[in-house]
Amino acid sequence: MSKERGKKKEKPVKITKKMCSKVKRPDGLKMKFMTEYTFCNFYEVISSRFSKKVMYRIFRQDDADAITYGQFAHHVKAVSSYLLKIGIGKGDKVAIMGESCPNWMIFYVALTSIGAVAVPILPDFTQREASEILRHSESRAVMTNVKQWPKVSSYAKEAGLLVFRMDDVFHIPSSVGYPEDKEFGDAPGVGMKEAKISQGLLDQMRPEEDDLASIIYTSGTTGSSKGVMLTHKNILRCADLNTDEFVKVKPGFKVLSILPMSHVYEFTIGQILVLLQGAEVVFLGKPPAVSVLLPALKEVRPHVMLTVPLLIEKVYRNAVAPTLKENKKLASFIKKPIIGSFVYKVIGNKIMDTFGHRLKFFGIGGAPLDPEVEYFLYRAGFPYAIGYGLTETAPLVAGCGPQSSQHKPTFVGKIVKDDDVVLLDKNEEGIGEIAVKGPNVMLGYYGRPDLDKEVFTEDGYFRTGDLGLFDKSGRLAIKGRVKTMILGPAGENIYPELIENIINSQEFVQESLVVSKDGGLLALIKIDVELMSKKLKISLDDAKNEAKKYVKNMRKELNSQLSVYSRISETELQEEPFDRTPTQKIKRFLYPKKKKESENEKNDQN
């Protein structure tokens, strides 16, 4: 027997949380779950600590299809090895476009673990937007699924991109060519998850913490899409630091994932953060329509869930608000402190039943939460948590956990420990532009040094474009956007978001948008016509006519609640749903221009 064969195999080192917390760094940052901030270390840590536990599953799919933490690490190594074999390496940009699923994350981590750069594309983006991102990012390859292939196929063929199929993690080689849209799912290829692992080569290709990991293209309310450059450290430090700041996630906790992983909010908080603690993430496998979501909530019974405000606002307006406002006895009860608290708790308990009654953390982010809805959640003791941040900050800047002691309605919470936040150009009310400095702040915008000069101050603070206010305890409130702030006739600062909050609290109002028009303020108001029809006991057609009158007559009532300089000059019914970003913010830059175009189209038809 040779000496080599006679040697005992060294057992892999079991990484513990205690080992991670003892890591000493030259930058002074204390680590919680990781020993270095790279995606290599991410999968090494989670697979070492939770190897046999289920990491991913898809709702109502067989248990045999579930992926353990150990299997995930093996798949990542195999895909990384294959990518290196075909020439993908450090600095190469590779786009990922598809709905959230285990294969999405396997491919992302495999890419970044060899120093390549992932370019996530939101699945809601159009063919034109996807093609522009592929071009601007200089992507060499694209990973996509059958559903999204038609959006990228033309550009992939034109630019000669390497193509990977997300559905089964197959490489479609150049010898096969570029399949037609209908043939993409059946195109032959090479299964990358079964590739031979080249551990020595993987060790040589390990990235550094400050290497670029991802370029994420935003779809902002101002209409300009920019490529945000985030490093390994930007993303992983943000997740690692906040693992147990807001909620203690235990191994095996169920997390129901309904948001796109290509958005940094879901990716960092809804994936990396919970996976560092051994959670089991369940994907819906379908768009989160009510018919799919309600059974999933009942069967999965999640401990943790992340969403945008629109979902919980719909629950409140459809199931809660009518009860609170129409039941006269209940309306009188809730005004009494002790009885009111009891009533709110009872309703909150019923909503908890809908969510499976195991919910410990219901994260709300991506857009502002309606104050009326937040007030109800607060009084009802619902375990909601609010976070504020941007893609450029990977994303978290401030937040609060689900404990009522952490909440102060209309405030998002305290600044995360790593960040230094200041308010620039403050006015007399103490409102100023939020500027951030910290290890979660991006490198800059890809290929746009001109934009970097605009958003970074000389002393290195990133200007968020958001307006904020601190209370005496250091909690941050968001007061609007710098670009949406309207200057009044005598130079007053008018914040349309604050006016919209008042409008949205009116009966029958679903949502609203306040914009500047002809030197005054125009309020575009969307009415719940079905609710109006039901409550007033009139036909749907009559309700549509009634909605127009209702909106016209609303101006006087609204103005009685507003200061002189922020009063509304005109109210109009918004008949069509507002155009939104992927995080459900209204695309303000489209209005009132879009309203005018819609009116012109109607006139042309007449």
Side-chain angles (χ1 to χ4, degrees):
M1 184 181 286
S2 69
K3 288 183 181 179
E4 191 65 33
R5 288 185 65 189
K7 279 185 179 179
K8 287 185 178 180
K9 286 186 178 179
E10 290 185 12
K11 290 183 178 180
V13 177
K14 180 77 173 176
I15 301 172
T16 65
K17 186 179 176 183
K18 191 174 181 181
M19 290 169 61
C20 302
S21 62
K22 285 187 175 182
V23 173
K24 291 185 178 180
R25 299 171 54 94
D27 55 14
L29 297 180
K30 290 182 180 180
M31 309 180 85
K32 289 188 177 179
F33 284 87
M34 304 186 68
T35 54
E36 66 176 33
Y37 292 128
T38 65
F39 277 98
C40 288
N41 189 243
F42 166 69
Y43 78 74
E44 289 166 351
V45 166
I46 61 175
S47 63
S48 174
R49 296 189 68 216
F50 314 112
S51 180
K52 294 181 180 179
K53 289 192 176 295
V54 171
M55 177 176 172
Y56 280 138
R57 69 168 74 243
I58 296 174
F59 178 55
R60 285 184 174 170
Q61 284 196 5
D62 293 338
D63 287 347
D65 296 323
I67 296 173
T68 66
Y69 280 82
Q71 289 170 330
F72 176 82
H74 181 85
H75 292 329
V76 166
K77 288 181 181 181
V79 175
S80 291
S81 299
Y82 185 87
L83 291 171
L84 289 171
K85 180 183 173 183
I86 62 171
I88 296 288
K90 188 165 186 174
D92 286 332
K93 318 307 189 295
V94 180
I96 308 174
M97 188 174 191
E99 288 69 28
S100 298
C101 65
N103 288 343
W104 196 107
M105 182 63 96
I106 288 168
F107 192 73
Y108 181 103
V109 177
L111 270 178
T112 53
S113 293
I114 58 173
V117 180
V119 183
I121 303 177
L122 285 157
D124 287 341
F125 278 174
T126 63
Q127 179 180 354
R128 181 187 62 79
E129 289 169 324
S131 297
E132 178 56 24
I133 289 170
L134 290 168
R135 182 200 65 76
H136 186 266
S137 65
E138 303 173 295
S139 290
R140 276 195 59 197
V142 61
M143 155 75 88
T144 190
N145 58 17
V146 171
K147 182 179 178 181
Q148 300 294 339
W149 171 244
K151 293 182 183 178
V152 300
S153 56
S154 296
Y155 184 86
K157 185 175 182 179
E158 177 190 325
L161 302 185
L162 294 172
V163 176
F164 308 107
R165 187 169 57 215
M166 186 181 296
D167 308 76
D168 47 14
V169 196
F170 266 45
H171 171 212
I172 312 298
S174 56
S175 57
V176 174
Y178 295 94
E180 295 297 321
D181 293 350
K182 292 180 181 179
E183 299 168 359
F184 184 68
D186 299 318
V190 181
M192 296 188 286
K193 288 197 288 189
E194 290 75 44
K196 183 180 178 181
I197 295 172
S198 306
Q199 189 61 53
L201 192 55
L202 294 179
D203 291 339
Q204 291 176 34
M205 299 302 292
R206 289 182 76 93
E208 300 291 328
E209 290 187 335
D210 292 324
D211 285 347
L212 183 60
S214 201
I215 303 173
I216 302 177
Y217 283 81
T218 65
S219 178
T221 56
T222 56
S224 55
S225 188
K226 305 176 284 284
V228 176
M229 295 189 290
L230 297 176
T231 66
H232 290 251
K233 186 178 176 183
N234 286 154
I235 299 167
L236 294 168
R237 173 59 182 171
C238 188
D240 185 55
L241 173 70
N242 294 291
T243 42
D244 52 11
E245 288 298 311
F246 304 112
V247 63
K248 303 279 186 183
V249 173
K250 296 178 182 178
F253 266 25
K254 298 285 181 71
V255 179
L256 185 60
S257 176
I258 64 171
L259 299 176
M261 293 165 77
S262 40
H263 195 282
V264 73
Y265 164 48
E266 168 67 16
F267 184 75
T268 303
I269 310 301
Q271 298 291 325
I272 303 296
L273 185 150
V274 297
L275 294 173
L276 282 171
Q277 299 170 88
E280 179 182 314
V281 177
V282 182
F283 295 108
L284 274 182
K286 294 178 181 178
V290 173
S291 59
V292 178
L293 185 56
L294 288 179
L297 290 170
K298 187 177 180 180
E299 293 177 37
V300 176
R301 298 182 62 221
H303 296 88
V304 176
M305 190 172 169
L306 262 65
T307 184
V308 292
L310 194 62
L311 185 141
I312 195 66
E313 287 171 357
K314 280 185 177 179
V315 170
Y316 173 78
R317 293 205 171 92
N318 292 333
V320 179
T323 304
L324 291 177
K325 292 175 181 178
E326 292 173 21
N327 188 316
K328 291 182 180 178
K329 272 191 176 180
L330 209 58
S332 64
F333 284 154
I334 61 175
K335 291 176 183 177
K336 299 173 182 178
I338 297 174
I339 300 176
S341 294
F342 175 74
V343 171
Y344 275 110
K345 290 290 192 302
V346 169
I347 298 172
N349 205 46
K350 287 186 177 180
I351 294 177
M352 283 291 286
D353 284 339
T354 304
F355 283 86
H357 227 289
R358 270 198 318 203
L359 200 60
K360 295 186 180 298
F361 182 92
F362 187 81
I364 303 173
L369 176 63
D370 186 302
E372 182 184 340
V373 178
E374 184 182 3
Y375 180 75
F376 164 75
L377 296 176
Y378 179 72
R379 291 289 306 273
F382 189 77
Y384 77 104
I386 295 180
Y388 162 72
L390 303 91
T391 305
E392 290 87 341
T393 57
L396 205 57
V397 173
C400 65
Q403 298 82 13
S404 59
S405 59
Q406 292 191 32
H407 285 291
K408 182 179 178 180
T410 73
F411 283 77
V412 292
K414 294 188 177 182
I415 304 301
V416 298
K417 289 179 180 177
D418 266 358
D419 280 350
D420 178 14
V421 173
V422 296
L423 300 180
L424 305 176
D425 308 319
K426 285 195 290 186
N427 64 15
E428 292 176 358
E429 301 169 70
I431 297 171
E433 182 180 3
I434 302 166
V436 189
K437 187 190 286 187
N440 57 328
V441 176
M442 67 168 181
L443 290 176
Y445 295 115
Y446 186 68
R448 296 296 305 271
D450 56 322
L451 290 179
D452 293 345
K453 288 180 181 178
E454 287 181 23
V455 298
F456 282 102
T457 64
E458 289 185 4
D459 50 354
Y461 284 88
F462 167 66
R463 305 182 72 122
T464 64
D466 290 315
L467 294 164
L469 172 73
F470 282 115
D471 71 1
K472 292 177 182 178
S473 300
R475 293 185 181 91
L476 179 68
I478 310 303
K479 293 298 181 181
R481 293 281 296 168
V482 173
K483 290 182 179 178
T484 61
M485 187 184 75
I486 300 167
L487 209 59
E492 308 94 342
N493 294 334
I494 300 170
Y495 306 107
E497 293 88 349
L498 301 183
I499 302 173
E500 289 156 13
N501 288 338
I502 294 171
I503 298 173
N504 295 345
S505 67
Q506 305 299 307
E507 190 177 20
F508 303 127
V509 175
Q510 284 185 321
E511 57 187 341
S512 61
L513 186 71
V514 174
V515 292
S516 177
K517 181 186 176 185
D518 302 329
L521 296 178
L522 165 67
L524 301 172
I525 303 171
K526 184 91 170 61
I527 295 295
D528 188 335
V529 178
E530 290 184 7
L531 178 63
M532 181 176 274
S533 168
K534 183 179 177 182
K535 188 170 180 184
L536 300 182
K537 297 179 181 179
I538 56 178
S539 70
L540 207 56
D541 286 338
D542 286 343
K544 287 176 183 177
N545 292 326
E546 188 63 33
K548 291 177 183 176
K549 297 176 191 174
Y550 180 75
V551 166
K552 288 290 182 188
N553 295 332
M554 195 187 291
R555 188 171 71 89
K556 186 177 179 180
E557 168 62 25
L558 292 172
N559 284 341
S560 69
Q561 302 177 54
L562 295 167
S563 58
V564 175
Y565 60 82
S566 58
R567 286 178 181 166
I568 296 163
S569 309
E570 188 180 356
T571 54
E572 284 187 23
L573 179 67
Q574 176 67 25
E575 296 183 34
E576 298 297 319
F578 289 108
D579 277 22
R580 296 180 178 277
T581 70
T583 53
Q584 302 304 306
K585 298 188 195 80
I586 297 173
K587 292 183 176 179
R588 288 180 177 272
F589 67 94
L590 293 176
Y591 301 90
K593 178 185 173 185
K594 193 175 181 71
K595 185 79 177 176
K596 190 175 285 186
E597 288 174 352
S598 176
E599 288 171 356
N600 289 340
E601 284 177 14
K602 285 182 180 178
N603 291 335
D604 290 343
Q605 289 171 2
N606 294 334

